[in-house]
Amino acid sequence: MTKQLKILLVLAAVIFLSGIIGTIFVLMPSESGMVEIVQDGKVLYSFDLTATKDQKIVITSSEGKTNTVEIKDGKIFIVHAECPDQTCVKTGVLYSESLPIVCLPNKLIIRFR
């Protein structure tokens, strides 16, 4: 094996391991229980998930479309959205500070604070 090939293999291994470590840090669950629901840059609601009772919240956008947010068992997620792609519903439960739940058509963001 040539010296250049060894260097390339070591470099590839370092890049691969860096990617795995970076992914682990991004997907780590948040230690904070504080969550904000933001629409059009304005904070509509702020919750401490550890102290909030189970509830459903219907949020209406400026265009009249709605998102239904559910808080259940200390977790928050979108159960219904009036948008074409349903990405926010498919996102599921909010776990990580790095990956908020976003509904772009309705300008809604659910994130840890």
Side-chain angles (χ1 to χ4, degrees):
M1 198 179 295
T2 67
K3 185 176 182 180
Q4 286 181 332
L5 185 57
K6 287 180 184 180
I7 292 172
L8 285 175
L9 287 175
V10 169
L11 184 62
V14 168
I15 291 171
F16 179 74
L17 290 174
S18 298
I20 289 175
I21 292 169
T23 301
I24 290 170
F25 280 114
V26 166
L27 297 178
M28 285 179 65
S30 175
E31 294 179 12
S32 171
M34 297 301 296
V35 173
E36 292 179 332
I37 300 176
V38 181
Q39 188 171 47
D40 285 330
K42 295 181 183 177
V43 177
L44 302 178
Y45 300 95
S46 185
F47 299 102
D48 181 357
L49 291 178
T50 60
T52 303
K53 294 182 181 179
D54 294 354
Q55 60 183 300
K56 287 188 180 183
I57 303 164
V58 178
I59 300 168
T60 305
S61 71
S62 57
E63 289 85 25
K65 297 188 178 189
T66 62
N67 288 75
T68 304
V69 178
E70 185 170 352
I71 299 173
K72 186 173 183 179
D73 301 327
K75 297 177 181 171
I76 189 166
F77 49 97
I78 296 178
V79 291
H80 176 266
E82 289 183 19
C83 58
D85 57 6
Q86 299 291 300
T87 301
C88 55
V89 177
K90 294 174 189 172
T91 300
V93 175
L94 179 66
Y95 281 111
S96 172
E97 293 177 11
S98 302
L99 299 171
I101 299 173
V102 178
C103 183
L104 287 178
N106 296 340
K107 301 176 186 113
L108 183 74
I109 301 171
I110 302 173
R111 64 183 178 205
F112 282 105
R113 178 168 60 133

